[in-house]
Each structure stands twice: as C-alpha cells, then as structure tokens.
Amino acid sequence: AVAVKMAALGGGGTRWRRAWLPALQLLRRGSKAVTRHWKAMHFQRQKLLAVTEYLPPRPAVPPRCLPRHAAEGHEEDAQARVLRRQVEETLRSSRMVAVCQYNSMPDEDLVTLRHYLRKHGIRVQFVLNEVVRPVLAQSKYRNLLPLFVCRNILLVSPEARAREMLRVLKGVPQVNLLGACIDDTILSRQGVENLAQLPPLEVSQGQTVAALALLSSQTSSLLQRGPAHLTALLDEHIRRLRDAEGPTEPPPG
C-alpha cells in the first residue's frame, strides 16, 4: 500500500522516502542461534570408558637404568682414547687402587691432600665415569663398577699403602673411601680398615718363620724324647745291677 501511494504521489514520494524513517527497525546480526548445549556424560558411560581405557604395560626396567646405545657411525673422540689409555696404564702399574667419592673442596686443601699422599707414594687421579667404566668392564676390576655413580677420584700406588692412606683421609671429610683393590683383592671400606690393622709384611714373614721353626723344633724334640727316655732307663737299670752285686774284689797279683 505504501508503494502504491508513493507511485501516485510521483516525485513527491521520492522526497518523502528520503526524509521519513520508520520508528522501529529490525536488523539481523551475523551470529547464529545456539542449538546444542553441553550435557554431562552419563555415569554408566563414564565407568565404561574408564574400564575399557588402554593402559600400556610398564617396562620391567626403567629406561633411565638401561645402558645407552652408542649412535651408529659415531667416531670415538681422540681425547677419550688418550684418557682411556692413561687409565689402563695406571691400573696395570698399581698394586693399590682405591675408589673415593670426591666432594667440592678448596684448592688449597686439595693441594695439601696431594702433598701428604705423595709423601707415601700415593697419587690422586681424577677420572670421568664415561671414560673409566668401559676400561673397568674389560679388566679384573669389573666388580668396582657399582662404585662409579658420582664424582670419583682414584688413589693409586705401586705399593700397598692402606695404613698411610687411611691416616691421611681421616683428616679430609670431603673425600670418602668407597672401596679398593689391593694385590688383586677387592675390598670394601671395612676390609681396607681391617687390612690396615695387620702388621707389616716383614713382621708377618718373621712371625711365620718363627712359627714354622717352632713346629719343627717341637717335632724334633718329640722324636728324640723316646730314645732319650729309653737310654735313661737302661743306665738306671745297669746302675741298680751293679749296686746289687756288691763291691768286686781286685784280681790277685
């Protein structure tokens, strides 16, 4: 009806359309009406999903405890080979190899520790676990591998200096003795302390010789006891026979 009225008015209708605005305008926005609302899952379905959820099996050994596989095609570092060769030479030329846990300490105390150990012919050698572990795994010291789990140092000596080593380490709490291999015998800390309480080798050899000589002397005295006793009995028997016969007369002329 409005369009017919405007057509009848002609030009005036165009002027009226430009000036007049309706009192109510309906504009549609771009948003859509929400037709789906969140609904809580049924309790039975929640239990079914929880029961049927896949749980992967846990490995028997944690991955961090498994040995690391060397990357294929990885070339060994030249410095690692040199350090490994030095460790092999040290183990080959030492009668005493002690493994100690090293805690941080001032440089002055470390120099003092090295000085007192060097006076007894004991050297301090810092080693890396990734360098020393492959060497120990292929040597007679393989039972020492469980001790290399932290920052360690080696106390090596061409002689068995357990007593002197313990005397020096007693005043250094930053260095803790874990174990040692002395004369191809692996010892714990208590074993090293027991070994240090033994007398020196020369004294032990003298005591052994004295014990062996005592046994031989006792054996010789036991073997000679029977003949000596028999001889004494015969002499006493002869003396009694002579006393029973009386004094003998001197021969005539």
Side-chain angles (χ1 to χ4, degrees), residues 36 102 107 147 159 166 228 231 236 240 242 252:
R36 296 180 60 87
Y102 175 77
D107 295 339
L147 302 180
E159 300 293 336
L166 291 177
T231 303
E236 181 67 19
R240 288 182 180 181
R242 288 178 180 178

Side-chain angles (χ1 to χ4, degrees), residues 13-149:
T14 305
R15 188 181 310 110
W16 172 86
R17 185 174 56 184
R18 293 178 180 176
W20 178 83
L21 293 176
L24 181 61
Q25 296 182 1
L26 299 178
L27 301 177
R28 185 175 180 179
R29 301 294 181 181
S31 61
K32 298 182 180 180
V34 179
T35 58
R36 296 180 60 87
H37 296 275
W38 179 85
K39 184 179 180 181
M41 187 182 301
H42 195 270
F43 182 67
Q44 296 292 340
R45 186 177 181 182
Q46 293 182 10
K47 293 198 297 183
L48 180 62
L49 291 178
V51 171
T52 59
E53 183 182 2
Y54 173 73
L55 297 177
R58 297 180 59 183
V61 180
R64 62 178 180 274
C65 298
L66 297 176
R68 298 180 180 179
H69 298 282
E72 297 182 359
H74 177 70
E75 185 178 357
E76 187 180 8
D77 189 9
Q79 183 180 5
R81 290 198 302 269
V82 173
L83 295 177
R84 190 171 302 174
R85 193 177 301 112
Q86 291 178 357
V87 173
E88 292 176 356
E89 182 63 27
T90 300
L91 297 178
R92 191 180 304 112
S93 60
S94 302
R95 288 180 53 191
M96 184 185 73
V97 179
V99 183
C100 300
Q101 179 185 2
Y102 175 77
N103 300 315
S104 180
M105 58 188 303
D107 295 339
E108 295 79 4
D109 297 342
L110 180 59
V111 173
T112 305
L113 173 65
R114 287 189 170 186
H115 170 70
Y116 283 111
L117 290 175
R118 194 181 298 112
K119 290 175 60 177
H120 301 290
I122 304 174
R123 294 187 298 107
V124 179
Q125 185 171 357
F126 287 85
V127 294
L128 300 175
N129 292 344
E130 55 269 17
V131 173
V132 72
R133 288 180 68 89
V135 178
L136 295 178
Q138 301 176 1
S139 65
K140 59 185 177 181
Y141 302 100
R142 63 178 60 91
N143 291 334
L144 293 175
L145 283 174
L147 302 180
F148 290 88
V149 293

